[in-house]
Amino acid sequence: MEFTDRFTVFPASHVEECAGMLDLFFNYITSYPITLTTLPHAVRLYKEQNEYTAPSYMLTHDYPVRPEVNEYTMTLGGVGFGPWPETFLYYDKECQLSFVEGECRPRLLRNYIGKLNMNDDFTEAVPPVFVTKYLKTDTVIELEYEIGSSSAVPFGLVYWDDLAGYEVSACSGGAEVKLIKDKLAFLRFNLTGGRQTIGLTLRLKRRLEGHA
């Protein structure tokens, strides 16, 4: 955004266009009931509410607008046109995980535990996952996963389905479960370096009386 003699990577016209885009973005987000504050105040609030980096979740969808092919995007190696599958992204102080729609194990695993070299991207091989039980009735979904890993790493699994009206009935193996947008169940746990079994039971909530 700075265009001076010291920073002249982009022409002034590009900088002005970026400023206009930021104005449009600000006008868009302020149409929602958001809270406007300063960055120092936001940092203080975050530290007051979170001792460590809070877990972040993102479920992305394909979008019909595609990047423009021009000299800038071609210089960066070109652009992809999709279509892109839904992708679930997760991040916390121990790891980063990426899941593609329909896949139970992460497509990408980054492990931040015990890392000293900050020049690394922390990517690790994803261990094999075996589904040893899958039962789905009109009211219950039961799953059992078996994971084999020779090292202790943070990990997670995702079950993709139409989960509208479902709730977590039981979960074993020390995993924490979160239902995301009625589209997936995310299981977060740490591998210990040996074979582990994770069980999950989802149950359809009891319908309200008179609406059975």
Side-chain angles (χ1 to χ4, degrees), residues 45-62:
L45 288 177
Y46 187 89
K47 289 184 176 180
E48 289 173 0
Q49 298 175 16
N50 303 283
E51 183 178 359
Y52 303 103
T53 301
S56 299
Y57 308 81
M58 181 183 294
L59 180 61
T60 65
H61 309 275
D62 192 23

Side-chain angles (χ1 to χ4, degrees), residues 139-155:
T139 57
V140 176
I141 301 173
E142 294 184 10
L143 293 145
E144 188 173 87
Y145 301 93
E146 200 169 88
I147 308 100
S149 176
S150 59
S151 59
V153 294
F155 200 61

Side-chain angles (χ1 to χ4, degrees), residues 73-194:
T73 55
M74 292 177 69
T75 300
L76 294 179
V79 297
F81 293 111
W84 311 110
E86 288 196 337
T87 304
F88 175 65
L89 307 172
Y90 173 81
Y91 169 83
D92 64 22
K93 66 185 181 68
E94 295 183 339
C95 68
Q96 180 181 352
L97 304 169
S98 300
F99 299 85
V100 174
E101 182 181 15
E103 299 180 3
C104 65
R105 69 177 194 158
R107 184 76 68 93
L108 172 71
L109 165 61
R110 288 195 171 117
N111 175 21
Y112 303 137
I113 296 178
K115 305 298 182 180
L116 299 177
N117 181 9
M118 294 298 102
N119 294 320
D120 194 2
D121 66 359
F122 312 108
T123 302
E124 294 203 10
V126 178
V129 176
F130 303 92
V131 179
T132 56
K133 180 181 181 181
Y134 175 58
L135 173 66
K136 183 175 181 179
T137 70
D138 292 338
T139 57
V140 176
I141 301 173
E142 294 184 10
L143 293 145
E144 188 173 87
Y145 301 93
E146 200 169 88
I147 308 100
S149 176
S150 59
S151 59
V153 294
F155 200 61
L157 296 169
V158 164
Y159 172 66
W160 300 81
D161 203 344
D162 180 5
L163 300 180
Y166 281 87
E167 61 184 353
V168 178
S169 176
C171 185
S172 61
E176 297 181 358
V177 188
K178 188 176 183 66
L179 302 183
I180 307 293
K181 294 291 185 180
D182 293 333
K183 289 194 172 185
L184 62 91
F186 172 61
L187 297 87
R188 172 71 174 91
F189 54 95
N190 285 353
L191 297 175
T192 59

